[in-house]
Amino acid sequence: MLQATFYHAGCPVCVSAEKTIVDALDTNRYKVDIVHLGEQANRIDEARNKGVKSVPALLINDQVMHINHGADLADLG
Amino acid sequence: MLQATFYHAGCPVCVSAEKTIVDALDTNRYKVDIVHLGEQANRIDEARNKGVKSVPALLINDQVMHINHGADLADLG
């Protein structure tokens, strides 16, 4: 399975993007993890190291896609 | 079928996003159109009316997701 990770912070922009884009992914080919960085602050460094600068962001095959703009990662911790 | 439309302008950021996100969509449920606004300038107004402000952008269920940033729509025409 390929890996997709959706990082968010529970903000309205995040929730809206999550509903739309995560639902549209092909879950027969992609394992989709959803990470709430507000609740899993220990994963903020992981996100930063992957190149995430703001949320919501979708990471697929090590490529970061910043989707619209909810909050800067720097504001999360 | 649900409809997804990927608007781009052929820029490197666009091509990179297209490869990753369009490939990850579930094409059993979504009909995916790819629109190159540099070559189909007659569709710039359509994109603008849908709320697209920059490319690459993915439109699903009338929700616009601006993915990273390649070019402003205003610079395309």
Side-chain angles (χ1 to χ4, degrees):
Chain A
M1 290 282 275
L2 297 165
Q3 175 69 46
T5 308
F6 184 80
Y7 293 102
H8 73 107
C11 56
V13 171
C14 296
V15 172
S16 173
E18 178 184 337
K19 272 187 174 168
T20 305
I21 192 70
V22 171
D23 184 67
L25 297 178
D26 184 352
T27 53
N28 288 318
R29 293 185 295 131
Y30 287 83
K31 177 177 178 294
V32 183
D33 282 344
I34 296 175
V35 179
H36 188 319
L37 292 174
E39 296 174 351
Q40 300 181 63
N42 59 321
R43 296 189 66 174
I44 291 177
D45 278 349
E46 163 199 312
R48 184 177 288 121
N49 289 338
K50 294 288 190 181
V52 174
K53 296 185 188 313
S54 63
V55 289
L58 181 64
L59 183 75
I60 297 180
N61 304 336
D62 275 332
Q63 188 185 344
V64 180
M65 287 165 289
H66 298 98
I67 299 173
N68 297 332
H69 187 275
D72 285 329
L73 197 70
D75 292 334
L76 300 180
Chain B
M1 291 283 274
L2 298 165
Q3 175 69 46
T5 308
F6 184 80
Y7 293 102
H8 73 107
C11 56
V13 171
C14 296
V15 171
S16 172
E18 178 185 338
K19 272 188 176 167
T20 304
I21 192 69
V22 171
D23 184 67
L25 297 178
D26 184 352
T27 52
N28 288 318
R29 293 185 295 129
Y30 288 83
K31 178 178 177 294
V32 183
D33 282 344
I34 297 174
V35 179
H36 188 320
L37 293 174
E39 296 172 354
Q40 300 180 64
N42 59 322
R43 297 190 66 175
I44 292 177
D45 278 349
E46 163 199 312
R48 185 176 288 121
N49 289 339
K50 294 288 189 181
V52 174
K53 295 184 189 314
S54 64
V55 289
L58 181 64
L59 183 76
I60 297 181
N61 305 334
D62 276 332
Q63 188 185 344
V64 180
M65 286 164 290
H66 298 98
I67 300 173
N68 296 333
H69 187 277
D72 286 329
L73 198 68
D75 292 334
L76 300 180

